[in-house]
Amino acid sequence: QVHLVQSGPEVQKPGASVKVSCKASGYTFTNDAITWVRQAPGQGLEWLGWISPHNSKTNSAQNLHGRVTMTTDTSTGTAYVEVRSLTTDDTAIYYCARGGVLTGYESWGQGTLVTVSS
Amino acid sequence: QSALTQPPSASGSPGQSVTISCTGTSSDVGFYNYVSWYQQYPGKAPKLMIYEVSKRPSGVPDRFSGSKSGNTASLTVSGLQTEDEADYYCTSYAGSNNLVFGGGTKLTVL
């Protein structure tokens, strides 16, 4: 059974960075991409980007202006997303999901609340 | 990429059918057959209901169906049940390894 378990809630100040983790189990980690999606309070879902654990190829949404970095650690089966230069607009629940841009996402992490506040 | 356009709300009575639209452009929905639909309850992660326009994952009731015509994809829920009340989001591949979401539709079962 596929499980994606994310790290706990974070509170950060504007201008800081945050790194959220997503530990995968129940499948071969390098076989599928990991996608990151976020949802601001009361808002819709926003695609952040994806990474292939197999070759570390990534692509991020253009509107993030290079503030997002996605990485993986194949030794532990864990994916990470780091968001830099945080603003209050980055306050959201961050989700990881198994799959790339063509596949639907059947498996999701439980979500990580990131709060940006001074 | 701009977000796909969904109606903010939709509603129907139990047993009725409701269709939610998802309008994109000839660069995303109109060009690729990689449209997915997700159901989301408050405080929960999204659940995949439809992928590749009209395919259903195992376990999704056949009351849920997807289709596409031109730049608009649609999700139809037949035989509405109270548990179908949720938010629904569409996504489409937009080329160059990019994905775009719709703004979401709140489905109310009256």
Side-chain angles (χ1 to χ4, degrees):
Chain A
Q1 191 172 5
V2 175
H3 285 291
L4 299 175
V5 179
Q6 299 184 221
S7 49
E10 299 262 6
V11 179
Q12 299 290 344
K13 294 187 183 304
S17 299
V18 69
K19 193 171 186 177
V20 176
S21 69
C22 169
K23 183 171 176 57
S25 62
Y27 71 100
T28 302
F29 183 61
T30 50
N31 280 359
D32 292 304
I34 292 287
T35 287
W36 290 93
V37 173
R38 72 181 180 182
Q39 186 170 34
Q43 302 300 310
L45 299 169
E46 178 186 13
W47 179 78
L48 299 181
W50 62 270
I51 181 167
S52 168
H54 171 65
N55 56 15
S56 297
K57 180 178 179 180
T58 72
N59 193 45
S60 302
Q62 294 177 356
N63 64 335
L64 296 171
H65 306 299
R67 296 190 300 117
V68 170
T69 299
M70 288 168 284
T71 56
T72 61
D73 181 345
T74 56
S75 68
T76 61
T78 304
Y80 301 88
V81 65
E82 181 180 27
V83 184
R84 298 176 296 280
S85 302
L86 289 165
T87 72
T88 54
D89 289 343
D90 294 313
T91 293
I93 297 174
Y94 287 71
Y95 292 102
C96 62
R98 176 189 177 193
V101 284
L102 299 182
T103 60
Y105 307 125
E106 285 197 77
S107 301
W108 292 72
Q110 82 275 20
T112 296
L113 176 62
V114 174
T115 303
V116 183
S117 173
S118 55
Chain B
Q1 291 81 16
S2 299
L4 306 176
T5 300
Q6 297 181 235
S9 62
S11 63
S13 299
Q16 289 186 332
S17 293
V18 65
T19 296
I20 299 170
S21 63
C22 169
T23 302
T25 70
S26 57
S27 298
D28 40 59
V29 174
F31 194 85
Y32 300 101
N33 288 323
Y34 292 111
V35 175
S36 297
W37 289 90
Y38 296 87
Q39 176 190 65
Q40 187 183 35
Y41 294 115
K44 301 295 186 182
K47 175 186 177 182
L48 179 66
M49 305 302 284
I50 297 288
Y51 66 101
E52 292 180 19
V53 177
S54 60
K55 297 179 180 179
R56 270 189 313 275
S58 174
V60 172
D62 60 6
R63 302 184 296 103
F64 291 85
S65 62
S67 62
K68 189 184 85 166
S69 177
N71 296 339
T72 298
S74 298
L75 172 73
T76 297
V77 186
S78 305
L80 269 175
Q81 299 183 4
T82 55
E83 59 261 37
D84 299 333
E85 185 162 299
D87 294 326
Y88 291 84
Y89 294 90
C90 61
T91 69
S92 175
Y93 181 59
S96 301
N97 291 313
N98 290 300
L99 191 81
V100 61
F101 271 93
T105 298
K106 182 177 181 59
L107 175 60
T108 301
V109 181
L110 303 169

